[in-house]
Amino acid sequence: MKDFKINFKLKNINDIVPWENNDLHWFALTDGILYIQVGDHKIYEYSDSALDFFKCDKYNDYYLERFVTDFTEIFRFIREPIPEILYDNIDTFADMAYLWKNMYINKPDDVFDEFYFGEYDTLTEWYCIHTLDSAHLTGGPDISFFRYGDKIKIMWKTSDDAILENGQNIWTSPNGIYEMYWNDFTEEVESFLKKFRRAMDLHTAFICKNGVSHAEIDIKHLLRSNCNNHVILQQHLQLLLSDDYEKTNFKQILTIYDKMRGEINEQKLQEISGK
């Protein structure tokens, strides 16, 4: 078994619920289940408590195109290697940013606004463009990707929305971090996208040949959508595999990052000394 694998299965066409006006378009046909194997963890696997509460499928049950679009749109950012100091400390980055914001939250409005819409926004935006959220899912995890040299770290984290009334998390693996080789990562991503495209080709071909009895389908539009989405996926994949990538102003990012760490450490020292 691979340490990193994106698993999915499209639903049978006859089991897919049509949209408004009994329409069954390309996006609707991507309805299926999804989970990501990362080491010994499964991202998007519901816990037993969640299964009892929601009466749902064991894995993320949604339109796969939502995940594919959100994931591929950050390829151009996660392709770029980041500085070593950020890579080594990336697991604490979000918590540090949260603490830093709270240090300013009770300051005068003009001081807070200058901080929040200035250095804080610049620093956290850099972090966020490496992250895909799962806002379409209740308590869905944020999944982030950060590369350094020939390695990449995959991090996932859920919010309090993922906690049920009994105190149990809805996911079997709500938070985690995993490091792997960059080439192994891109190999699996490429494999997943090819399998997804092939699965959608089969769905499209089946409908063109047999039609469907429970919905209305514009065949020409379906064929055009399938072709267009193939082109878009290939373009995104080339961004991931290319030596060309976004050039971040890391001098600016590191300057702000050092300031954040310095101010947090200074406050901790003051708390220890009782000032």
Side-chain angles (χ1 to χ4, degrees):
M1 179 187 297
K2 286 187 176 181
D3 290 337
F4 171 68
K5 184 174 174 56
I6 304 172
N7 301 273
F8 77 97
K9 183 179 180 180
L10 294 178
K11 290 183 179 177
N12 185 292
I13 293 173
N14 292 324
D15 294 331
I16 298 176
V17 178
W19 282 35
E20 189 176 356
N21 299 321
N22 206 36
D23 185 26
L24 201 58
H25 42 65
W26 190 90
F27 184 93
L29 290 171
T30 69
D31 198 359
I33 60 171
L34 167 77
Y35 73 92
I36 306 173
Q37 184 80 41
V38 185
D40 296 328
H41 305 276
K42 289 181 180 178
I43 303 174
Y44 292 135
E45 180 183 52
Y46 286 106
S47 65
D48 290 340
S49 293
L51 295 176
D52 290 339
F53 184 81
F54 294 119
K55 308 301 180 186
C56 59
D57 196 283
K58 186 173 180 61
Y59 303 111
N60 173 4
D61 182 355
Y62 200 73
Y63 303 99
L64 294 179
E65 176 59 10
R66 178 74 276 144
F67 168 78
V68 171
T69 296
D70 292 345
F71 189 27
T72 57
E73 284 183 350
I74 65 173
F75 281 1
R76 61 195 179 104
F77 302 115
I78 66 178
R79 176 72 180 84
E80 181 184 25
I82 69 174
E84 184 176 12
I85 188 171
L86 293 176
Y87 186 80
D88 289 343
N89 295 280
I90 202 65
D91 56 323
T92 62
F93 185 97
D95 290 338
M96 288 181 65
Y98 179 78
L99 288 173
W100 198 33
K101 182 182 71 173
N102 283 347
M103 289 170 56
Y104 280 81
I105 205 160
N106 291 321
K107 293 182 181 293
D109 288 347
D110 59 332
V111 175
F112 178 79
D113 288 347
E114 181 180 359
F115 158 77
Y116 186 83
F117 295 107
E119 293 177 324
Y120 177 81
D121 183 69
T122 298
L123 193 61
T124 55
E125 181 183 11
W126 168 79
Y127 182 91
C128 288
I129 61 177
H130 289 75
T131 302
L132 68 90
D133 65 37
S134 307
H136 54 284
L137 300 174
T138 300
D142 289 339
I143 310 174
S144 304
F145 305 85
F146 296 93
R147 180 193 178 193
Y148 172 71
D150 64 348
K151 299 285 185 66
I152 183 172
K153 285 182 179 178
I154 304 171
M155 298 193 309
W156 60 102
K157 186 174 185 178
T158 56
S159 66
D160 292 341
D161 293 340
I163 305 298
L164 296 170
E165 292 181 359
N166 63 2
Q168 298 297 309
N169 202 288
I170 66 176
W171 306 106
T172 60
S173 182
N175 307 293
I177 183 168
Y178 185 79
E179 184 179 49
M180 63 184 298
Y181 285 107
W182 171 256
N183 287 341
D184 292 340
F185 171 78
T186 57
E187 179 182 319
E188 170 55 25
V189 170
E190 183 174 12
S191 175
F192 160 69
L193 293 178
K194 287 181 178 179
K195 291 175 182 176
F196 174 70
R197 286 186 301 194
R198 175 59 177 163
M200 289 306 299
D201 282 344
L202 292 174
H203 260 12
T204 301
F206 178 89
I207 290 174
C208 289
K209 180 180 179 180
N210 303 290
V212 292
S213 59
H214 70 296
E216 299 293 330
I217 296 183
D218 184 333
I219 298 295
K220 289 184 178 180
H221 187 266
L222 175 63
L223 288 168
R224 186 164 55 250
S225 296
N226 193 53
C227 181
N228 289 342
N229 277 277
H230 277 13
V231 172
I232 293 171
L233 282 185
Q234 188 61 33
Q235 290 173 342
H236 283 304
L237 182 60
Q238 289 306 311
L239 286 175
L240 184 70
L241 302 177
S242 171
D243 290 332
D244 253 345
Y245 45 78
E246 296 287 321
K247 300 297 191 298
T248 298
N249 182 355
F250 279 117
K251 182 177 180 181
Q252 179 190 37
I253 296 297
L254 288 173
T255 298
I256 301 174
Y257 178 72
D258 287 341
K259 179 179 180 180
M260 175 177 71
R261 291 205 307 174
E263 291 187 0
I264 290 174
N265 289 335
E266 182 179 352
Q267 176 169 287
K268 287 181 179 178
L269 289 174
Q270 290 177 353
E271 292 173 352
I272 292 172
S273 63
K275 293 182 180 180

mmCIF file of all heavy atoms in Angstrom, residues 141-166:
data_model
loop_
_atom_site.group_PDB
_atom_site.id
_atom_site.type_symbol
_atom_site.label_atom_id
_atom_site.label_comp_id
_atom_site.label_asym_id
_atom_site.label_seq_id
_atom_site.Cartn_x
_atom_site.Cartn_y
_atom_site.Cartn_z
ATOM 1 N N PRO A 141 -11.868 19.432 7.079
ATOM 2 C CA PRO A 141 -10.499 19.824 7.414
ATOM 3 C C PRO A 141 -9.888 20.776 6.388
ATOM 4 O O PRO A 141 -10.229 20.719 5.201
ATOM 5 C CB PRO A 141 -9.743 18.486 7.413
ATOM 6 C CG PRO A 141 -10.488 17.664 6.400
ATOM 7 C CD PRO A 141 -11.938 18.055 6.553
ATOM 8 N N ASP A 142 -9.011 21.651 6.859
ATOM 9 C CA ASP A 142 -8.135 22.407 5.971
ATOM 10 C C ASP A 142 -6.910 21.528 5.711
ATOM 11 O O ASP A 142 -6.313 20.991 6.647
ATOM 12 C CB ASP A 142 -7.689 23.716 6.624
ATOM 13 C CG ASP A 142 -8.822 24.718 6.719
ATOM 14 O OD1 ASP A 142 -9.793 24.586 5.956
ATOM 15 O OD2 ASP A 142 -8.737 25.629 7.556
ATOM 16 N N ILE A 143 -6.519 21.396 4.441
ATOM 17 C CA ILE A 143 -5.374 20.564 4.079
ATOM 18 C C ILE A 143 -4.340 21.443 3.396
ATOM 19 O O ILE A 143 -4.635 22.100 2.393
ATOM 20 C CB ILE A 143 -5.788 19.412 3.143
ATOM 21 C CG1 ILE A 143 -6.991 18.665 3.714
ATOM 22 C CG2 ILE A 143 -4.626 18.453 2.935
ATOM 23 C CD1 ILE A 143 -7.559 17.607 2.780
ATOM 24 N N SER A 144 -3.130 21.476 3.953
ATOM 25 C CA SER A 144 -2.080 22.364 3.458
ATOM 26 C C SER A 144 -0.886 21.570 2.948
ATOM 27 O O SER A 144 -0.604 20.463 3.433
ATOM 28 C CB SER A 144 -1.623 23.319 4.575
ATOM 29 O OG SER A 144 -2.709 24.044 5.104
ATOM 30 N N PHE A 145 -0.171 22.176 2.000
ATOM 31 C CA PHE A 145 0.974 21.519 1.373
ATOM 32 C C PHE A 145 2.140 22.506 1.293
ATOM 33 O O PHE A 145 1.989 23.606 0.741
ATOM 34 C CB PHE A 145 0.608 21.046 -0.033
ATOM 35 C CG PHE A 145 -0.608 20.166 -0.090
ATOM 36 C CD1 PHE A 145 -1.879 20.726 -0.157
ATOM 37 C CD2 PHE A 145 -0.497 18.783 -0.076
ATOM 38 C CE1 PHE A 145 -3.014 19.929 -0.202
ATOM 39 C CE2 PHE A 145 -1.620 17.982 -0.116
ATOM 40 C CZ PHE A 145 -2.879 18.553 -0.182
ATOM 41 N N PHE A 146 3.299 22.099 1.829
ATOM 42 C CA PHE A 146 4.473 22.962 1.827
ATOM 43 C C PHE A 146 5.697 22.158 1.410
ATOM 44 O O PHE A 146 5.996 21.120 2.008
ATOM 45 C CB PHE A 146 4.694 23.582 3.208
ATOM 46 C CG PHE A 146 3.575 24.491 3.633
ATOM 47 C CD1 PHE A 146 2.517 24.012 4.387
ATOM 48 C CD2 PHE A 146 3.577 25.833 3.261
ATOM 49 C CE1 PHE A 146 1.484 24.846 4.777
ATOM 50 C CE2 PHE A 146 2.533 26.668 3.639
ATOM 51 C CZ PHE A 146 1.488 26.176 4.401
ATOM 52 N N ARG A 147 6.383 22.666 0.405
ATOM 53 C CA ARG A 147 7.523 21.957 -0.157
ATOM 54 C C ARG A 147 8.840 22.623 0.242
ATOM 55 O O ARG A 147 8.953 23.838 0.314
ATOM 56 C CB ARG A 147 7.421 21.926 -1.673
ATOM 57 C CG ARG A 147 8.588 21.206 -2.337
ATOM 58 C CD ARG A 147 8.634 21.456 -3.827
ATOM 59 N NE ARG A 147 9.795 20.801 -4.420
ATOM 60 C CZ ARG A 147 10.235 21.039 -5.631
ATOM 61 N NH1 ARG A 147 9.619 21.927 -6.396
ATOM 62 N NH2 ARG A 147 11.302 20.401 -6.103
ATOM 63 N N TYR A 148 9.842 21.780 0.500
ATOM 64 C CA TYR A 148 11.209 22.257 0.694
ATOM 65 C C TYR A 148 12.140 21.238 0.043
ATOM 66 O O TYR A 148 12.190 20.070 0.460
ATOM 67 C CB TYR A 148 11.550 22.401 2.180
ATOM 68 C CG TYR A 148 13.012 22.698 2.437
ATOM 69 C CD1 TYR A 148 13.554 23.942 2.116
ATOM 70 C CD2 TYR A 148 13.858 21.720 2.967
ATOM 71 C CE1 TYR A 148 14.897 24.216 2.337
ATOM 72 C CE2 TYR A 148 15.201 21.989 3.192
ATOM 73 C CZ TYR A 148 15.714 23.236 2.864
ATOM 74 O OH TYR A 148 17.047 23.495 3.062
ATOM 75 N N GLY A 149 12.874 21.660 -0.983
ATOM 76 C CA GLY A 149 13.775 20.742 -1.668
ATOM 77 C C GLY A 149 13.019 19.570 -2.267
ATOM 78 O O GLY A 149 12.040 19.739 -3.000
ATOM 79 N N ASP A 150 13.441 18.356 -1.920
ATOM 80 C CA ASP A 150 12.794 17.152 -2.471
ATOM 81 C C ASP A 150 11.774 16.553 -1.511
ATOM 82 O O ASP A 150 11.368 15.409 -1.661
ATOM 83 C CB ASP A 150 13.848 16.101 -2.833
ATOM 84 C CG ASP A 150 14.610 15.591 -1.609
ATOM 85 O OD1 ASP A 150 14.493 16.211 -0.522
ATOM 86 O OD2 ASP A 150 15.331 14.590 -1.743
ATOM 87 N N LYS A 151 11.336 17.337 -0.521
ATOM 88 C CA LYS A 151 10.341 16.872 0.445
ATOM 89 C C LYS A 151 9.111 17.782 0.421
ATOM 90 O O LYS A 151 9.173 18.937 0.004
ATOM 91 C CB LYS A 151 10.930 16.864 1.865
ATOM 92 C CG LYS A 151 12.131 15.952 2.065
ATOM 93 C CD LYS A 151 11.717 14.499 2.117
ATOM 94 C CE LYS A 151 12.889 13.591 2.440
ATOM 95 N NZ LYS A 151 13.413 13.793 3.797
ATOM 96 N N ILE A 152 8.006 17.239 0.899
ATOM 97 C CA ILE A 152 6.794 18.030 1.054
ATOM 98 C C ILE A 152 6.094 17.590 2.333
ATOM 99 O O ILE A 152 6.087 16.399 2.672
ATOM 100 C CB ILE A 152 5.843 17.885 -0.158
ATOM 101 C CG1 ILE A 152 4.609 18.788 0.016
ATOM 102 C CG2 ILE A 152 5.443 16.442 -0.383
ATOM 103 C CD1 ILE A 152 3.724 18.858 -1.216
ATOM 104 N N LYS A 153 5.539 18.553 3.049
ATOM 105 C CA LYS A 153 4.744 18.260 4.238
ATOM 106 C C LYS A 153 3.270 18.470 3.911
ATOM 107 O O LYS A 153 2.881 19.480 3.320
ATOM 108 C CB LYS A 153 5.147 19.161 5.405
ATOM 109 C CG LYS A 153 6.471 18.774 6.056
ATOM 110 C CD LYS A 153 6.793 19.677 7.234
ATOM 111 C CE LYS A 153 8.104 19.262 7.905
ATOM 112 N NZ LYS A 153 8.450 20.163 9.037
ATOM 113 N N ILE A 154 2.471 17.481 4.301
ATOM 114 C CA ILE A 154 1.020 17.568 4.172
ATOM 115 C C ILE A 154 0.449 17.726 5.575
ATOM 116 O O ILE A 154 0.735 16.916 6.457
ATOM 117 C CB ILE A 154 0.446 16.303 3.513
ATOM 118 C CG1 ILE A 154 1.102 16.060 2.152
ATOM 119 C CG2 ILE A 154 -1.073 16.417 3.362
ATOM 120 C CD1 ILE A 154 0.741 14.719 1.539
ATOM 121 N N MET A 155 -0.327 18.773 5.782
ATOM 122 C CA MET A 155 -0.920 19.017 7.100
ATOM 123 C C MET A 155 -2.429 19.123 6.962
ATOM 124 O O MET A 155 -2.932 19.667 5.990
ATOM 125 C CB MET A 155 -0.376 20.313 7.706
ATOM 126 C CG MET A 155 1.114 20.333 7.948
ATOM 127 S SD MET A 155 1.586 21.733 9.004
ATOM 128 C CE MET A 155 0.798 23.085 8.158
ATOM 129 N N TRP A 156 -3.142 18.607 7.924
ATOM 130 C CA TRP A 156 -4.589 18.748 7.931
ATOM 131 C C TRP A 156 -5.040 19.096 9.347
ATOM 132 O O TRP A 156 -4.481 18.639 10.338
ATOM 133 C CB TRP A 156 -5.280 17.506 7.398
ATOM 134 C CG TRP A 156 -5.024 16.220 8.129
ATOM 135 C CD1 TRP A 156 -5.848 15.596 9.025
ATOM 136 C CD2 TRP A 156 -3.869 15.373 8.012
ATOM 137 N NE1 TRP A 156 -5.287 14.429 9.473
ATOM 138 C CE2 TRP A 156 -4.065 14.257 8.861
ATOM 139 C CE3 TRP A 156 -2.672 15.449 7.279
ATOM 140 C CZ2 TRP A 156 -3.119 13.252 9.003
ATOM 141 C CZ3 TRP A 156 -1.735 14.429 7.413
ATOM 142 C CH2 TRP A 156 -1.966 13.343 8.264
ATOM 143 N N LYS A 157 -6.062 19.943 9.408
ATOM 144 C CA LYS A 157 -6.523 20.433 10.706
ATOM 145 C C LYS A 157 -8.004 20.774 10.625
ATOM 146 O O LYS A 157 -8.463 21.354 9.646
ATOM 147 C CB LYS A 157 -5.725 21.677 11.115
ATOM 148 C CG LYS A 157 -6.020 22.186 12.511
ATOM 149 C CD LYS A 157 -5.079 23.317 12.886
ATOM 150 C CE LYS A 157 -5.294 23.755 14.330
ATOM 151 N NZ LYS A 157 -4.361 24.831 14.728
ATOM 152 N N THR A 158 -8.746 20.417 11.662
ATOM 153 C CA THR A 158 -10.169 20.731 11.711
ATOM 154 C C THR A 158 -10.448 21.753 12.804
ATOM 155 O O THR A 158 -9.656 21.940 13.728
ATOM 156 C CB THR A 158 -11.009 19.468 11.987
ATOM 157 O OG1 THR A 158 -10.551 18.854 13.194
ATOM 158 C CG2 THR A 158 -10.894 18.481 10.845
ATOM 159 N N SER A 159 -11.591 22.411 12.693
ATOM 160 C CA SER A 159 -12.002 23.411 13.676
ATOM 161 C C SER A 159 -12.942 22.785 14.692
ATOM 162 O O SER A 159 -13.241 21.586 14.654
ATOM 163 C CB SER A 159 -12.713 24.575 12.965
ATOM 164 O OG SER A 159 -13.926 24.125 12.391
ATOM 165 N N ASP A 160 -13.455 23.618 15.598
ATOM 166 C CA ASP A 160 -14.391 23.135 16.618
ATOM 167 C C ASP A 160 -15.706 22.649 16.011
ATOM 168 O O ASP A 160 -16.469 21.930 16.664
ATOM 169 C CB ASP A 160 -14.682 24.247 17.631
ATOM 170 C CG ASP A 160 -13.456 24.573 18.480
ATOM 171 O OD1 ASP A 160 -12.546 23.724 18.539
ATOM 172 O OD2 ASP A 160 -13.405 25.665 19.075
ATOM 173 N N ASP A 161 -15.972 23.045 14.763
ATOM 174 C CA ASP A 161 -17.196 22.596 14.101
ATOM 175 C C ASP A 161 -17.201 21.090 13.897
ATOM 176 O O ASP A 161 -18.253 20.505 13.611
ATOM 177 C CB ASP A 161 -17.341 23.274 12.729
ATOM 178 C CG ASP A 161 -17.578 24.764 12.851
ATOM 179 O OD1 ASP A 161 -18.002 25.200 13.933
ATOM 180 O OD2 ASP A 161 -17.345 25.496 11.872
ATOM 181 N N ALA A 162 -16.030 20.468 14.018
ATOM 182 C CA ALA A 162 -15.921 19.029 13.788
ATOM 183 C C ALA A 162 -16.210 18.216 15.057
ATOM 184 O O ALA A 162 -16.123 16.990 15.040
ATOM 185 C CB ALA A 162 -14.534 18.683 13.254
ATOM 186 N N ILE A 163 -16.552 18.902 16.154
ATOM 187 C CA ILE A 163 -16.821 18.213 17.418
ATOM 188 C C ILE A 163 -18.326 18.005 17.600
ATOM 189 O O ILE A 163 -19.109 18.945 17.517
ATOM 190 C CB ILE A 163 -16.265 19.022 18.613
ATOM 191 C CG1 ILE A 163 -14.772 19.322 18.421
ATOM 192 C CG2 ILE A 163 -16.489 18.242 19.909
ATOM 193 C CD1 ILE A 163 -13.903 18.094 18.347
ATOM 194 N N LEU A 164 -18.706 16.758 17.836
ATOM 195 C CA LEU A 164 -20.107 16.440 18.080
ATOM 196 C C LEU A 164 -20.496 16.777 19.521
ATOM 197 O O LEU A 164 -19.632 17.075 20.353
ATOM 198 C CB LEU A 164 -20.354 14.952 17.811
ATOM 199 C CG LEU A 164 -20.149 14.483 16.366
ATOM 200 C CD1 LEU A 164 -20.193 12.964 16.304
ATOM 201 C CD2 LEU A 164 -21.210 15.089 15.450
ATOM 202 N N GLU A 165 -21.772 16.710 19.822
ATOM 203 C CA GLU A 165 -22.254 17.038 21.159
ATOM 204 C C GLU A 165 -21.691 16.106 22.221
ATOM 205 O O GLU A 165 -21.561 16.482 23.388
ATOM 206 C CB GLU A 165 -23.788 16.993 21.185
ATOM 207 C CG GLU A 165 -24.440 18.098 20.375
ATOM 208 C CD GLU A 165 -25.958 18.031 20.446
ATOM 209 O OE1 GLU A 165 -26.477 17.109 21.107
ATOM 210 O OE2 GLU A 165 -26.619 18.906 19.854
ATOM 211 N N ASN A 166 -21.335 14.885 21.821
ATOM 212 C CA ASN A 166 -20.771 13.937 22.793
ATOM 213 C C ASN A 166 -19.269 14.127 22.988
ATOM 214 O O ASN A 166 -18.622 13.349 23.689
ATOM 215 C CB ASN A 166 -21.071 12.496 22.368
ATOM 216 C CG ASN A 166 -20.411 12.130 21.036
ATOM 217 O OD1 ASN A 166 -19.693 12.934 20.440
ATOM 218 N ND2 ASN A 166 -20.670 10.919 20.573
#
